[in-house]
Every structure is written in C-alpha cells, then in structure tokens.
C-alpha cells in the first residue's frame, strides 16, 4: 500500500518596467495551487519462473487558479479568470516477467488502463489502453539481444485542463498525450567489467498539445515568463523522434573507470502545413565522456566532457516587438512563429576536472577535493535578447502605429568555475 500527497503553491507577478507604483502597469498576476493525493495498492506473486505484479492506483488532483495577464494578439487583450478543478483519476496495471532457469531469456509483458472524470473521452479507460512488451535473449556468451515496444499515456497539465472563460472549461476536448516507443539493440559484457551496446529507437507521439493561437507545440513555450497552458489548446499534435545510441563502460578494479555514450537522433513534429519541423530538443548529436583514475596515496583524478549539437530556435519578430501596444502588453520580445525553429545555435561543449584526496582514520574519513568546471572556458552564445529603450520613434503617429526604438543584447554564458570542498564520512 502506498499513500502520498503533493502540494505546489505558485505565485508570479510582473509590472511594466518593474514599476508597481501604477496599478495599470500590471501585466501578470498568477496565483495557483496544485495538490494531489495518491493511493496505490499492488500485489506481487512469484509462480515458478514467473513474477506477477498487478494493482490499482487512485489519485485526486485539485487545482485552483486566479489569473490576470495582458497579451497581444492583433490588439492588447486582458485575460482575467478564476478556476477551480477537482479530478478523480484511476489506473489499473498488470505486469508479468518470465526468466528461464538458465537465465538466457527474459520476457516482460504488461498493460495499463488510465481514466479520469474530466470528459467523456478521458473517462473511457479503453481509450488509454497501453500494452508493453520487452525481451532480452543471450545469443552467445555475454552477448544479449534486446527489444521492446510499448504505448504510454500522460494526463495533460492541470493549467490546460483548468483554463476557463466565464464559467466554461475551454479545453474539454483534450485527450491524454500518447507515445508509441520501440527499441532494438544488443549489449556485450565481458568478464573484466567491460560493457558496450548499441540501441536503435523510434518514438511516435500522438495527441500532443498544440497552441491554436501560435500554431506551435505547447512544450515550446516552456521558456516563456508565466504559466504555460492557459490558452486554447488542441490534442492534434503529432511528433516523432528516432536515432541510435552507443554506450561503453569499463571498470578496472578500483583504479580506473570510463563511461561514455553517443546519441545521434532527430526530434520533430508536424506543423500546420503538415511538414516535419525540428522541436526544441533536436540537437541531433550528444556525447558524454567521463572517467576517473585512482593514483597512489589515495589521490583520485576525474574528468567529464560533454558535447551537444546546436539547438534550434525561432528568430525574434522585431517588427511586432517594437509596437508600443505589443511591448507594453507583455514587456518582452515576440518570436516569429512563421519561422519556428528555422535557426540553430552553435554547438555546446564543456570539460570539467576534479581532484580528490582521501584520508582514512579509525572511526572516520574525510576527503578534500578541487572541482573545476568548464576548464576550457568555453563561451556559449545564445540568441540575442531584444529590449525596448523606452523611446518612441514616431510619437505623432496613431497609438496603434507607434513604435519603440529597440536594441539587441548579446547573451553569452560560460565561465571557469572552481570549487574547493571537504567531505566527512563517519
């Protein structure tokens, strides 16, 4: 039996030019509470070479929200609403695992049904039926073939479900977001603690959350200021990610360890023109390499290197951002979503080094360490920020045509960061 409760109290307030002396400068006031009580009962049975787990999960999410925010579409619009939403969700799950006596074959099968009382579509658990299957078979000594397939569902965020206009929940047509995931690969483990493997994967995502106003995935707005999801949303987004991952691990007694992985992949969604478009996670190449070596007198030297391909980004719509009415509504630049993720940042890389010295005594031990992050002092250049100077370049024009003089600010991050520390162990 499992029982838990989570609670989140969220507050966010913003004034134009950070000046709260004038009430009309208020552009955002967000007050919300999300809390959820969870109960789960599950049972485990072992029958010969079978291991069975089955059970029931119940949850009661409760969401309250009081929001005022000023947005600019074609004109400034004030959104002001209060919401209170309580859901009842449940899930039935079953999982079985079979392993042969010689440990060469392992098969795992399961299923899950999810439902809640938000809408007629979500209340039918068979709309959220998710089967899973995986298999691992030792083809040769220490050489295993692995494959898996499964369907997974996720409840939309409460901010989207609880969005209201008047007394009506606007997003009653939302569905559980779904993903079909497939993987095929192999791994090899040697007797001297070396292991490497390759995995090919494909994910087909469906019922994703799509912003009607901006025609982009809702997830793409995670970097914006304020709440994400309090707008008109559909469950029409389709996406996919696919690629290959290679990993290598080597542990040589207590002296040496090496862990590395390389992932080559694509992450895309279908836009309103039915074209595959990169998501914000489409770096396409990831590399991680870390290792350590223990020298004499209890000195340990370790290093970690990380590399990622350039992430896509959406260019700024400077024409829209410079409009006085648009800037005063939100106090930030606007992106040109007609060119969504059409640009890419530069590659990212970072090297970290660490040296430890251990001291052992009868009843305790302590460790001194020096950790230096970004040893190469790599500077990562992000997309520019666009700011208003507060100067109206055409003050005699009608208010809807007036524009601020704008300036761009280069954003750059990355510095050498040394840390000295002491660790005690009793």
């Amino acid at each position: 039996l499992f029982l838990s409760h989570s609670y989140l109290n969220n507050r966010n307030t913003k004034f134009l030019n950070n000046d709260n002396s004038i009430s009309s400068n208020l552009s955002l006031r967000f007050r919300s509470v999300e809390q959820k009580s969870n109960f789960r009962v599950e049972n485990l049975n072992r029958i010969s070479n079978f291991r069975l787990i089955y059970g029931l999960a119940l949850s009661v999410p409760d969401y309250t929200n009081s929001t005022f925010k000023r947005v600019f579409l074609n004109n400034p619009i004030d959104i002001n609403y209060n919401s209170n939403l309580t859901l009842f969700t449940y899930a039935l799950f079953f999982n079985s695992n079979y392993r042969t006596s010689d440990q060469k074959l392992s098969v795992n099968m399961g299923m899950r049904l999810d439902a809640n009382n938000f809408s007629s579509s979500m209340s039918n658990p068979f709309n959220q039926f998710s089967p899973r299957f995986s298999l691992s078979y030792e083809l040769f000594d220490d050489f295993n073939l692995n494959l898996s397939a499964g369907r997974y569902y996720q409840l939309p965020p409460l901010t989207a479900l609880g969005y209201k206009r008047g007394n009506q929940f606007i997003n009653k047509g939302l569905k559980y977001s779904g993903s079909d995931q497939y993987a095929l690969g192999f791994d090899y483990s040697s007797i001297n603690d070396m292991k490497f493997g390759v995995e090919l994967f494909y994910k087909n995502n469906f019922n994703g959350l799509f912003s009607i106003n901006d025609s982009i995935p809702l997830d793409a707005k995670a970097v914006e200021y304020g709440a994400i999801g309090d707008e008109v949303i559909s469950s029409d987004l389709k996406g996919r990610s696919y690629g290959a991952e290679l990993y290598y691990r080597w542990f040589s007694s207590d002296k040496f360890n090496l862990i590395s992985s390389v992932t080559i992949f694509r992450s895309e969604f279908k836009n309103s023109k039915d074209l595959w478009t990169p998501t914000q996670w489409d770096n396409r190449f990831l590399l991680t390499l870390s290792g350590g070596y223990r020298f004499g007198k209890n000195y340990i030297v370790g290093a970690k290197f990380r590399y990622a391909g350039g992430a896509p980004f959406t260019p700024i719509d400077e024409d829209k951002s410079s409009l006085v009415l648009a800037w005063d509504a939100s106090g930030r630049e606007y992106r040109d979503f007609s060119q969504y993720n059409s640009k890419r940042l530069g590659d990212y890389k970072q090297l970290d080094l660490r040296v430890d010295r251990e001291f052992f005594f009868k009843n305790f031990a302590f460790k001194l360490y020096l950790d230096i992050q970004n040893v190469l002092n790599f500077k990562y250049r992000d997309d520019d920020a666009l700011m208003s100077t507060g100067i109206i370049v055409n003050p005699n024009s009608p208010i809807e045509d007036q524009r601020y003089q704008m300036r761009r600010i280069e954003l750059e991050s990355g510095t050498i960061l040394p840390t000295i520390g002491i660790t005690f162990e009793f």
Side-chain angles (χ1 to χ4, degrees):
L1 303 178
F2 302 88
L3 181 65
S4 66
H5 184 82
S6 61
Y7 179 89
L8 172 66
N9 191 320
N10 202 4
R11 300 286 185 266
N12 212 338
T13 306
K14 184 173 177 61
F15 289 86
L16 180 65
N17 299 322
N18 296 321
D19 180 8
N20 61 0
S21 64
I22 304 175
S23 59
S24 60
N25 282 349
L26 180 67
S27 60
L28 174 67
R29 184 183 63 244
F30 178 80
R31 304 286 186 268
S32 78
V33 172
E34 293 186 24
Q35 54 185 323
K36 183 165 64 171
S37 298
N38 304 289
F39 173 74
R40 187 171 86 252
V41 55
E42 67 179 44
N43 192 62
L44 168 64
N45 289 110
R46 289 184 174 89
I47 304 174
S48 183
N49 291 340
F50 287 89
R51 183 174 181 266
L52 308 177
I53 298 177
Y54 49 92
L56 167 69
L58 305 176
S59 178
V60 183
D62 184 78
Y63 174 77
T64 59
N65 187 351
S66 176
T67 292
F68 169 85
K69 68 175 182 178
R70 187 162 292 152
V71 299
F72 183 85
L73 300 176
N74 295 320
N75 294 290
I77 298 174
D78 289 347
I79 297 177
N80 198 348
Y81 74 95
N82 295 284
S83 181
N84 193 330
L85 174 66
T86 301
L87 296 178
F88 174 76
T89 75
Y90 68 91
L92 299 169
F93 56 90
F94 170 80
N95 181 266
S96 65
N97 178 266
Y98 171 77
R99 185 181 294 271
T100 57
S101 300
D102 59 7
Q103 305 293 304
K104 287 184 175 293
L105 173 65
S106 176
V107 180
N108 196 78
M109 298 181 64
M111 69 87 180
R112 182 181 171 104
L113 293 166
D114 287 272
N116 68 71
N117 64 336
F118 180 74
S119 65
S120 57
S121 172
M122 290 186 177
S123 64
N124 184 350
F126 293 100
N127 289 340
Q128 291 81 231
F129 174 67
S130 49
R132 294 94 185 262
F133 171 82
S134 65
L135 178 149
S136 179
Y137 181 69
E138 186 178 12
L139 294 174
F140 314 105
D141 288 344
D142 302 318
F143 187 94
N144 299 300
L145 174 69
N146 308 304
L147 63 91
S148 63
R151 171 166 287 191
Y152 302 85
Y153 283 99
Q154 182 177 0
L155 184 71
L158 296 178
T159 309
L161 296 178
Y163 176 57
K164 271 187 171 182
R165 283 183 183 170
N167 295 321
Q168 300 294 322
F169 291 110
I170 298 301
N171 294 317
K172 292 288 285 188
L174 290 182
K175 304 174 183 178
Y176 280 80
S177 299
S179 178
D180 292 326
Q181 304 184 12
Y182 311 93
L184 172 65
F186 72 87
D187 63 70
Y188 172 79
S189 300
S190 70
I191 58 175
N192 59 351
D193 295 324
M194 181 184 70
K195 183 174 183 178
F196 69 87
V198 177
E199 181 179 84
L200 306 176
F201 61 88
Y202 184 89
K203 298 180 181 180
N204 173 52
N205 303 318
F206 56 94
N207 293 350
L209 302 181
F210 191 71
S211 169
I212 299 299
N213 289 332
D214 298 320
S215 297
I216 61 171
L218 188 67
D219 289 346
K221 299 188 173 187
V223 296
E224 291 189 2
Y225 190 88
I228 306 302
D230 53 346
E231 58 176 290
V232 182
I233 300 169
S234 73
S235 290
D236 299 327
L237 186 68
K238 297 179 180 179
R240 66 183 182 184
S241 60
Y242 55 93
E245 181 180 49
L246 297 85
Y247 64 88
Y248 177 84
R249 292 184 293 176
W250 185 22
F251 294 87
S252 178
S253 65
D254 292 332
K255 283 188 172 294
F256 177 74
N257 67 82
L258 176 67
I259 303 174
S260 62
S261 68
V262 176
T263 307
I264 304 171
F265 69 101
R266 291 287 184 93
S267 177
E268 303 168 320
F269 77 98
K270 274 197 173 181
N271 62 18
S272 56
K273 298 179 181 179
D274 207 33
L275 300 175
W276 288 109
T277 304
T279 70
Q280 66 269 34
W281 300 288
D282 189 48
N283 297 85
R284 298 189 176 181
F285 185 85
L286 301 174
L287 168 66
T288 301
L289 178 65
S290 64
Y293 188 84
R294 179 183 291 272
F295 292 88
K297 297 183 179 180
N298 296 321
Y299 280 97
I300 304 172
V301 177
K304 176 187 287 186
F305 179 75
R306 287 166 286 175
Y307 178 90
F313 72 95
T314 304
I316 296 173
D317 187 341
E318 190 163 351
D319 185 68
K320 180 178 179 179
S321 302
S322 64
L323 288 170
V324 170
L325 291 178
W327 183 267
D328 288 352
S330 64
R332 61 172 177 83
E333 77 272 13
Y334 295 83
R335 297 284 167 173
D336 183 1
F337 292 129
S338 66
Q339 302 183 61
Y340 180 74
N341 280 353
S342 60
K343 306 291 185 180
R344 283 191 179 269
L345 301 173
D347 296 344
Y348 170 85
K349 53 183 176 289
Q350 180 170 317
L351 175 64
D352 304 332
L353 294 178
R354 175 165 168 155
V355 179
D356 294 72
R357 174 70 161 93
E358 296 177 328
F359 300 87
F360 296 96
F361 298 91
K362 183 178 180 180
N363 297 318
F364 70 94
F366 74 91
K367 179 189 297 183
L368 300 176
Y369 67 86
L370 171 64
D371 186 298
I372 305 177
Q373 298 184 31
N374 195 23
V375 174
L376 301 178
N377 197 25
F378 173 72
K379 305 294 184 182
Y380 182 73
R381 175 71 186 279
D382 207 339
D383 186 29
D384 294 344
L386 186 69
M387 298 294 296
S388 165
T389 63
I391 300 173
I392 300 176
V393 295
N394 55 341
N396 297 323
S397 299
I399 183 62
E400 60 271 14
D401 295 328
Q402 291 181 8
R403 296 182 179 275
Y404 284 121
Q405 183 183 76
M406 310 297 287
R407 65 187 180 97
R408 286 182 174 264
I409 300 176
E410 292 185 358
L411 299 181
E412 188 179 72
S413 62
T415 185
I416 298 176
L417 182 61
T419 303
I420 298 175
I422 302 175
T423 301
F424 284 92
E425 296 180 2
F426 298 93

